[in-house]
């Protein structure tokens, strides 16, 4: 776990907050005042991914960015499971403890199905949905089929299946602190000009030892073993969320969550919503195009 006051050479200067509501010390950023923008990261990142967006939006909005269990500055309890449904449970407890309402979700990677799980349980708390290379899995008939079709050609998912089969998954991901750059690159990280010692430290520090890697291992292992469970919304939740303003921003150089497979899920749920396909931008779109994405999100928030 990263020390709460770590700023990584001033690149993450935000006041740390911690809550025990999910049953472990969960770190989060809570900057600004106004309508809530809740940013949800995925694998193997943490709130650092949203640092540019926090700066851009916090003068006007309340930007809340939790680090999920096993990631970033949050704890990595050894006695917990790290399946999707566990993360949804943790997020629900977090949101209820802070009593967050009128939430704009910003979803990246597995933050997508996690945030949509929250939306299924509490549609009344969701005001808008923004997908930034984050799948909006929400009970669509083809959501599992699209996930499997994507996995058939995505190098990251192919590696996970192979590593689980040959018994190397936990050993390899247990060294994530040393292999973080190659892992990011495999998934789709395109702008190498931003790599600095502080940047590498920020992404590698959460995974200093194999025991610190349980979150990253759990997410991969859950896919390989079929342990993740999507939250299934009822008809009332589907009607409510379909009526919300929505926006999709997708880096089309994403090799892990390919737009051809996942943008149809978004369009099915939000047929009238704007979709911005960004050529040359990878899976970690908030690293590859932070200024453009911040502008698109700010414009969307103002206009909706």
């Amino acid at each position: 776990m990263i020390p709460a006051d770590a700023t990584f050479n001033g690149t993450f200067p935000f006041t740390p907050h911690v809550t025990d509501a999910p049953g472990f010390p969960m770190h989060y950023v809570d900057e600004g005042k106004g309508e809530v923008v809740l940013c949800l990261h995925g694998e193997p990142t943490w709130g650092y991914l949203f640092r540019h967006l926090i700066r851009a939006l916090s003068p006007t909005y309340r930007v809340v960015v939790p680090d999920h269990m096993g990631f970033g500055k949050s704890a990595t309890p050894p006695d917990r499971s790290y399946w999707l449904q566990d993360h949804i449970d943790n997020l629900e407890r977090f949101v209820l403890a802070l009593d967050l309402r009128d939430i704009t979700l910003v979803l990246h990677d597995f933050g997508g199905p996690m945030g949509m799980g929250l939306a299924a349980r509490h549609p009344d708390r969701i005001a808008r949905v923004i997908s930034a290379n984050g799948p909006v899995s929400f009970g669509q008939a083809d959501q599992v089929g699209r996930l499997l079709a994507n996995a058939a050609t995505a190098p990251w998912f192919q590696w996970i299946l192979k590593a689980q089969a040959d018994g190397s998954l936990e050993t390899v991901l247990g060294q994530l602190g040393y292999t973080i750059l190659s892992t990011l690159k495999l998934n789709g990280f395109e702008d190498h000009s931003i790599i600095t010692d502080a940047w590498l430290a920020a992404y590698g520090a959460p995974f200093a030892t194999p025991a610190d890697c349980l979150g990253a291992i759990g997410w991969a292992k859950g896919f390989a073993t079929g342990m993740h469970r999507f939250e299934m919304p009822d008809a009332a939740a589907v009607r409510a969320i379909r009526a919300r303003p929505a926006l999709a921003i997708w880096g089309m150089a994403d090799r892990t969550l390919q737009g051809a497979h996942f943008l149809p899920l978004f369009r099915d749920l939000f047929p009238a919503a704007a979709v911005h396909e960004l050529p040359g931008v990878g899976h970690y779109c908030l690293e590859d195009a932070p200024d453009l994405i911040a502008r698109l999100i700010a414009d969307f928030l103002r206009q909706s």
Side-chain angles (χ1 to χ4, degrees), residues 40-218:
L40 302 177
H41 71 82
E43 167 97 321
T45 59
W46 57 285
Y48 192 80
L49 179 73
F50 296 105
R51 64 197 181 281
H52 301 296
L53 193 62
I54 296 168
R55 291 192 189 96
L57 297 183
S58 58
T60 311
Y61 301 94
R62 180 185 176 189
V63 186
V64 180
V65 187
D67 292 336
H68 308 312
M69 182 173 65
F71 294 88
K73 296 183 178 182
S74 288
T76 306
D79 57 346
R80 297 281 295 267
S81 58
Y82 290 81
W83 316 137
L84 171 60
Q85 55 271 31
D86 300 308
H87 287 296
I88 296 172
D89 289 344
N90 294 338
L91 179 62
E92 179 182 37
R93 294 182 187 120
F94 172 79
V95 166
L96 294 179
L98 272 64
D99 195 23
L100 302 179
R101 298 177 182 273
D102 297 321
I103 298 167
T104 296
L105 293 171
V106 179
L107 310 173
H108 182 259
D109 193 87
F110 79 72
M114 188 190 305
M116 297 311 291
L118 175 70
R121 296 181 184 184
H122 300 280
D124 56 307
R125 290 180 181 262
I126 307 304
R128 305 177 188 87
V129 176
I130 300 173
S131 166
N133 287 74
V136 290
S137 307
F138 208 61
Q140 298 95 327
D142 59 346
Q143 67 179 11
V144 174
R146 290 193 176 279
L147 174 65
L148 295 176
N150 175 79
T153 59
W156 171 246
F157 288 111
Q158 289 299 295
W159 177 82
I160 288 171
L161 293 172
K162 178 179 180 298
Q164 176 65 19
D166 66 23
S168 65
L169 188 147
E170 295 186 28
T171 300
V172 173
L173 283 183
Q175 301 300 314
L176 192 55
Y178 300 100
T179 62
I180 190 67
L181 183 58
S182 60
T183 300
L184 295 174
K185 183 61 179 175
L186 179 65
N187 284 309
F189 165 65
E190 306 303 303
D191 186 4
H192 288 192
S193 70
I194 68 171
I195 299 173
T196 64
D197 288 344
W199 187 93
L200 281 172
Y203 279 122
F207 309 114
T209 72
D212 296 323
C213 297
L214 293 179
I217 291 168

Side-chain angles (χ1 to χ4, degrees), residues 129-133 136 246-252 259-260 262-279 296 300:
V129 176
I130 300 173
S131 166
N133 287 74
V136 290
L247 172 70
I249 303 168
W250 210 276
M252 298 305 286
F262 290 105
L263 283 176
L265 288 180
F266 179 88
R267 291 186 169 106
D268 177 74
L269 188 59
F270 303 111
V275 175
H276 297 273
E277 300 182 13
L278 307 184
L296 290 171
F300 168 71

